Amino acid sequence: MYRRRVATVVAVTAASIGVVIVAALAAGRVVSSASASPGISWRGTPVKLGTRMFTGGNVRIVQAWLLAKRGGLAFYRLERSDGRNCFATGKAADFLRRINAFACSDRFPETQPLLDLSVIGADRPETSLRVIALIGFAADSVASVGAVDDAGQIVARTPVVHNVYMLHLGEDTRAKRVQAFGDSGAPLGAPR
């Protein structure tokens, strides 16, 4: 099949910043409440940084937490030296040695409900882009994340657990946007 996938690049990839992170601390250990991000209540498991990670200028990553593992993918919250947070995903088997997507946002989670790292792509001969996989981080107010088609219909939905979401969509799914939903099922924020 002539399938190509185009990943949504939100910030920089690990390959461009030469990230190497190693060794986890004790599984299941929870960090202090001071380490939680506003709007992200799940603290995760602390992990040890093997090298310095920089997010631009002199801003570096000083702490990291494993939030969850879903379908072979690990989700991380990274605290910067300026106190703000970045988020990353990588292969769970590599345990932070390789990062697939890395993003920092001044709006998430305080004013933006999702930090969406979903995969988009196209199939030949049809070349219109569509959502292939829902992947990302969600604020506490988000109960589920859905894939929405051009007509505004929800074609797939997945729950948010520990502030992360992941769902691979079928080849017949023609979703164009990603939408956050609250506990009541009402949409939160604009579709992305």
mmCIF file of all heavy atoms in Angstrom, residues 49 61 75 97 122 135 146 171:
data_model
loop_
_atom_site.group_PDB
_atom_site.id
_atom_site.type_symbol
_atom_site.label_atom_id
_atom_site.label_comp_id
_atom_site.label_asym_id
_atom_site.label_seq_id
_atom_site.Cartn_x
_atom_site.Cartn_y
_atom_site.Cartn_z
ATOM 1 N N LEU A 49 17.179 12.108 34.285
ATOM 2 C CA LEU A 49 17.694 12.618 33.020
ATOM 3 C C LEU A 49 19.152 12.196 32.874
ATOM 4 O O LEU A 49 19.955 12.430 33.772
ATOM 5 C CB LEU A 49 17.586 14.142 32.982
ATOM 6 C CG LEU A 49 16.174 14.714 33.068
ATOM 7 C CD1 LEU A 49 16.231 16.225 33.203
ATOM 8 C CD2 LEU A 49 15.381 14.322 31.850
ATOM 9 N N ILE A 61 15.803 21.348 30.515
ATOM 10 C CA ILE A 61 14.906 20.464 31.246
ATOM 11 C C ILE A 61 15.629 20.027 32.515
ATOM 12 O O ILE A 61 16.762 19.558 32.465
ATOM 13 C CB ILE A 61 14.523 19.233 30.395
ATOM 14 C CG1 ILE A 61 13.831 19.671 29.102
ATOM 15 C CG2 ILE A 61 13.663 18.265 31.193
ATOM 16 C CD1 ILE A 61 12.547 20.426 29.278
ATOM 17 N N PHE A 75 4.459 8.609 27.565
ATOM 18 C CA PHE A 75 4.098 10.020 27.626
ATOM 19 C C PHE A 75 4.819 10.642 28.825
ATOM 20 O O PHE A 75 4.725 10.137 29.939
ATOM 21 C CB PHE A 75 2.584 10.158 27.822
ATOM 22 C CG PHE A 75 1.778 9.695 26.646
ATOM 23 C CD1 PHE A 75 1.575 8.345 26.404
ATOM 24 C CD2 PHE A 75 1.217 10.614 25.780
ATOM 25 C CE1 PHE A 75 0.816 7.916 25.327
ATOM 26 C CE2 PHE A 75 0.458 10.200 24.694
ATOM 27 C CZ PHE A 75 0.262 8.850 24.464
ATOM 28 N N ARG A 97 14.935 6.996 25.779
ATOM 29 C CA ARG A 97 16.164 7.157 24.995
ATOM 30 C C ARG A 97 15.888 7.833 23.656
ATOM 31 O O ARG A 97 16.765 8.436 23.077
ATOM 32 C CB ARG A 97 16.838 5.818 24.795
ATOM 33 C CG ARG A 97 17.417 5.289 26.080
ATOM 34 C CD ARG A 97 18.343 4.114 25.832
ATOM 35 N NE ARG A 97 18.887 3.683 27.097
ATOM 36 C CZ ARG A 97 18.431 2.643 27.775
ATOM 37 N NH1 ARG A 97 17.440 1.931 27.303
ATOM 38 N NH2 ARG A 97 18.976 2.304 28.915
ATOM 39 N N ALA A 122 -1.967 11.029 4.605
ATOM 40 C CA ALA A 122 -2.816 10.867 3.428
ATOM 41 C C ALA A 122 -2.529 9.518 2.792
ATOM 42 O O ALA A 122 -1.450 8.948 2.965
ATOM 43 C CB ALA A 122 -2.547 11.992 2.436
ATOM 44 N N ILE A 135 -3.276 11.373 19.521
ATOM 45 C CA ILE A 135 -2.198 11.241 20.509
ATOM 46 C C ILE A 135 -1.988 12.605 21.147
ATOM 47 O O ILE A 135 -1.892 13.611 20.433
ATOM 48 C CB ILE A 135 -0.874 10.781 19.859
ATOM 49 C CG1 ILE A 135 -1.030 9.415 19.189
ATOM 50 C CG2 ILE A 135 0.257 10.758 20.894
ATOM 51 C CD1 ILE A 135 0.158 8.987 18.363
ATOM 52 N N GLY A 146 -12.032 13.425 20.732
ATOM 53 C CA GLY A 146 -12.666 12.835 19.566
ATOM 54 C C GLY A 146 -12.052 13.297 18.265
ATOM 55 O O GLY A 146 -11.451 14.363 18.184
ATOM 56 N N GLU A 171 -8.459 2.844 8.663
ATOM 57 C CA GLU A 171 -8.188 3.450 7.351
ATOM 58 C C GLU A 171 -9.422 4.098 6.743
ATOM 59 O O GLU A 171 -9.308 5.007 5.931
ATOM 60 C CB GLU A 171 -7.613 2.405 6.401
ATOM 61 C CG GLU A 171 -6.214 2.003 6.771
ATOM 62 C CD GLU A 171 -5.577 1.098 5.737
ATOM 63 O OE1 GLU A 171 -5.993 1.142 4.563
ATOM 64 O OE2 GLU A 171 -4.660 0.367 6.102
#
